[in-house]
Amino acid sequence: MADVIASPAAQAAKAPRHADYLTDPDFKGLWSWLTTVDHKRIGVMYLWSTLLAFLAGGIMALIVRLELMHPGEDFMNAERYNQAFTLHGAIMVFLFIIPSIPAALGNFILPLMLGAKDVAFPRLNLASYYVYVVGAIMAVVSIVVGGVDTGWTFYTPYSTTTGGAVTMMTMSVFVLGFSSIFTGINFVATVHKLRAPGMGWFQMPLFVWAIYSTAIIQVLATPVLGITMVLLVMERAFNIGIFDAQIGGDPVLFQHFFWFYSHPAVYIMILPGMAIISEIIPTFCRRTIFGYRLIALSSVAIALIGFLVWGHHMFTSGQSALAAGIFSFLTFAVAIPSAIKVFNWASTMYGASISLATPMLYAISFLLLFTIGGLTGIFLGALSVDIHLHDTYFVVAHFHYVMMGGTVIAFLGGVHYWWPKMFGRMYNDTVGRIACGLVFIGFNCTFIPQFIMGSQGMPRRYYTYLDQFQPMHQFSTFGSWILGAGLMIAAVNLLSSLRNPKNAVDNPWAGTTLEWQTQSPPITHNFIGQPSVDHDPYDYRAFKIPADAVE
Ligand code: HEM
Ligand SMILES: [Cu+2]
């Protein structure tokens, strides 16, 4: 094992390159991609697919915000508006954010970090991708053609009685669930079985710990959603009386089932974001991470406690006061492991000489935005306050701070961090930082006004509003344009780098985890020989870093 991290010039001058997974002469042409079982290629296909979903969901977001420029109907009536935010929310949740980090970056990076040749079940991995594609097509067709307008939550009794393609849409969610489960099973088995020699559980990078915890939730919680969707379809088809009160069912039961998955699912969304941040911060501070074990175990704690708090979505549903009190208390408890992470990240940064390259700027943005998202979650978890804030824009702002300010920002940071590894090309760092700044500013301009409006009583899911809210809605819409511009610049910056010759070195950031020890882009089988591990992750004391080691 090399314990000197070479300078970029020395890395560039090093040994002849081998054909990488993109140019491997044994695997050429479209067919080799469509039938690939290489985790890296599957990760790349997931990356393009989820980015496409993000683009579609983002365009819908801009359209929704445009309608909200003025009170009353601009170009969408109530019905169209409901369809538009359903399209936005459902695409963002089911097609983008749940698969994005685990299935795209996780697929690519996790086996490399473990020193493995591939995931444990490569064919299952490919199956998961195709199941995703089928589910995605079903979802988009049903919302666009069938005009689903239930919101992404499919609450009964509306969803059992309304027309539209709700049946097809819920079946698509059922199908997408399998894709997520397949990925989860694969990662659990990979982490247990394919770690490099010398890599015990506490030598695993924190990315792996968090993706592992996510995988456990994917495997345990997703079936509940699947069954709930099947019950909803049966109710619609046969009027059995499960959720519809008129025929003896209980609509609140649906909410229990739905949130028993969907609260853990918010951790399927945020844990992978935290996974990325735990990699970026030590690398750009050149420091051993502070509190490694606490960060690792807090991921597992989040995964477990996350199963016990679903009732906080139903404080206003007529739940008993005792149940509500317990759910409120447990909601505070689940905030503790997240706070542990934030404190440890901040401690790692304290006094370090921090390199402010693009990935690190995203990580710092994450810390600020996720903290706001998390703290406003405490407001909502407080029983009495939630009665006032429930179903207002405060909630909309809160979950956007967590999902976009947290997960999406971390995802962008991760894409910029591993881009040179994945494609062998370096993007323009200055442009990357400008884009990150615009995203940060635009994001806050979009969503801070929503906290204020929400606390003043602006309800969510309405296409119109009282005149008094107009200035803030307009401000929010302007903010969404800045945000959109930032994202477009980031995308153009990354994509245009693909036209360059392969100019990235193997380890541009002086990273210490195994993925940086193989060439960029990696060869088809990842490593030449079997790598082994003889130090803790992020152990910068074990490495000599010459002053010019970092670009
Ligand atoms: C590009 C920035 C974004 C903007 C401007 C935006 C804007 C909006 C707006 C205006 C609504 C409708 C609020 C309402 O009427 O209740 C909404 C709802 C929603 N958004 Fe976003 N959004 C953005 C990004 C995201 C991202 C990245 C995610 C998740 C990954 C997301 C998930 C959701 C969800 C789940 C809903 C709820 C839909 C529902 O009520 O069923 N959004 N968003
Ligand atoms: Cu929840």
Side-chain angles (χ1 to χ4, degrees):
M1 154 141 327
D3 42 16
V4 176
I5 294 177
S7 70
Q11 289 185 43
K14 216 187 61 188
R17 323 215 108 225
H18 301 268
D20 58 64
Y21 77 100
L22 295 167
T23 53
D24 193 329
D26 292 344
F27 302 98
K28 269 200 147 104
L30 185 63
W31 188 245
S32 77
W33 276 86
L34 295 178
T35 55
T36 185
V37 287
D38 180 345
H39 67 100
K40 298 182 291 303
R41 287 184 167 207
I42 295 171
V44 168
M45 295 198 295
Y46 259 121
L47 182 67
W48 298 136
S49 311
T50 50
L51 284 176
L52 199 65
F54 186 43
L55 179 68
I59 291 171
M60 288 318 296
L62 293 176
I63 292 176
V64 168
R65 280 272 23 122
L66 202 58
E67 170 60 38
L68 293 170
M69 273 289 261
H70 311 105
E73 180 178 331
D74 286 342
F75 58 94
M76 284 194 270
N77 58 18
E79 236 157 37
R80 285 254 166 258
Y81 182 84
N82 292 353
Q83 293 168 4
F85 76 67
T86 302
L87 192 55
H88 163 68
I91 288 184
M92 285 296 195
V93 169
F94 295 115
L95 301 188
F96 169 60
I97 203 164
I98 290 182
S100 63
I101 297 177
L105 297 178
N107 246 329
F108 197 102
I109 297 298
L110 183 122
L112 287 169
M113 276 186 162
L114 295 175
K117 280 204 176 76
D118 207 314
V119 290
F121 310 119
R123 287 196 178 79
L124 187 66
N125 203 13
L126 184 63
S128 132
Y129 177 71
Y130 282 115
V131 171
Y132 167 82
V133 172
V134 171
I137 292 172
M138 286 169 67
V140 172
V141 168
S142 51
I143 324 185
V144 173
V145 181
V148 178
D149 62 355
T150 57
W152 76 283
T153 48
F154 312 115
Y155 268 19
T156 54
Y158 186 62
S159 61
T160 47
T161 49
T162 175
V166 177
T167 302
M168 165 104 141
M169 178 66 200
T170 45
M171 285 331 292
S172 86
V173 171
F174 181 81
V175 171
L176 288 165
F178 274 94
S179 160
S180 189
I181 293 171
F182 289 173
T183 305
I185 293 175
N186 228 329
F187 287 169
V188 170
T190 307
V191 170
H192 277 268
K193 288 292 173 201
L194 298 183
R195 299 193 307 273
M199 188 184 282
W201 281 87
F202 289 109
Q203 278 81 45
M204 290 194 318
L206 290 166
F207 182 83
V208 178
W209 271 102
I211 296 289
Y212 177 76
S213 308
T214 309
I216 289 179
I217 312 179
Q218 285 176 299
V219 173
L220 292 182
T222 315
V224 179
L225 180 71
I227 293 165
T228 310
M229 293 297 121
V230 171
L231 290 177
L232 189 61
V233 169
M234 304 223 304
E235 181 83 333
R236 279 177 69 87
F238 308 116
N239 292 316
I240 299 177
I242 310 167
F243 301 128
D244 188 345
Q246 284 184 334
I247 46 177
D250 181 356
V252 177
L253 182 64
F254 177 84
Q255 297 187 21
H256 277 288
F257 285 173
F258 182 81
W259 288 109
F260 188 84
Y261 164 78
S262 288
H263 189 88
V266 307
Y267 295 112
I268 297 180
M269 303 177 206
I270 194 66
L271 274 169
M274 296 167 155
I276 292 172
I277 300 305
S278 295
E279 295 303 316
I280 293 179
I281 287 185
T283 301
F284 289 85
C285 296
R286 314 231 183 284
R287 272 222 176 150
T288 306
I289 197 151
F290 193 84
Y292 168 88
R293 278 183 190 234
L294 280 173
I295 298 184
L297 295 175
S298 64
S299 291
V300 182
I302 287 176
L304 299 180
I305 307 176
F307 275 98
L308 307 177
V309 302
W310 77 92
H312 63 208
H313 295 276
M314 293 174 315
F315 286 152
T316 58
S317 71
Q319 198 175 52
S320 78
L322 177 66
I326 292 173
F327 281 125
S328 180
F329 173 78
L330 288 168
T331 300
F332 294 149
V334 79
I336 294 172
S338 298
I340 288 178
K341 286 184 196 285
V342 172
F343 283 124
N344 281 306
W345 290 325
S347 307
T348 308
M349 290 167 64
Y350 180 76
S353 63
I354 300 171
S355 146
L356 290 178
T358 309
M360 187 63 190
L361 278 193
Y362 279 108
I364 295 173
S365 308
F366 173 98
L367 287 182
L368 298 169
L369 301 176
F370 173 69
T371 303
I372 296 177
L375 288 177
T376 50
I378 308 257
F379 290 34
L380 295 167
L383 192 44
S384 47
V385 181
D386 184 65
I387 304 297
H388 176 67
L389 295 175
H390 181 77
D391 261 349
T392 67
Y393 261 75
F394 193 92
V395 177
V396 176
H398 155 71
F399 73 68
H400 281 93
Y401 265 85
V402 176
M403 292 202 271
M404 171 124 208
T407 309
V408 177
I409 295 287
F411 174 68
L412 293 171
V415 169
H416 284 84
Y417 183 52
W418 284 303
W419 189 264
K421 180 55 64 187
M422 295 176 85
F423 299 108
R425 275 101 169 172
M426 196 48 110
Y427 48 84
N428 183 319
D429 193 51
T430 310
V431 177
R433 282 185 291 178
I434 292 172
C436 177
L438 284 175
V439 168
F440 183 81
I441 294 167
F443 177 82
N444 283 299
C445 292
T446 310
F447 291 105
I448 284 180
Q450 301 187 6
F451 277 127
I452 303 170
M453 281 189 279
S455 65
Q456 294 170 349
M458 169 75 212
R460 70 187 278 203
R461 294 184 170 175
Y462 277 75
Y463 79 109
T464 185
Y465 47 80
L466 299 178
D467 290 340
Q468 73 189 73
F469 292 121
Q470 193 180 11
M472 269 182 291
H473 267 304
Q474 279 189 345
F475 195 86
S476 178
T477 301
F478 290 137
S480 71
W481 297 342
I482 303 176
L483 177 55
L487 290 170
M488 285 326 287
I489 294 172
V492 170
N493 188 33
L494 289 171
L495 294 178
S496 61
S497 79
L498 293 179
R499 294 206 319 254
N500 300 339
K502 293 198 179 123
N503 56 358
V505 298
D506 296 349
N507 188 2
W509 320 114
T512 58
T513 40
L514 283 178
E515 80 273 26
W516 301 111
Q517 294 197 9
T518 182
Q519 74 171 37
S520 302
I523 58 170
T524 299
H525 292 297
N526 292 349
F527 298 93
I528 295 169
Q530 168 69 61
S532 64
V533 173
D534 55 8
H535 59 87
D536 289 342
Y538 328 112
D539 188 357
Y540 276 93
R541 281 162 302 198
F543 288 89
K544 284 199 209 60
I545 307 179
D548 59 345
V550 185
E551 278 189 335

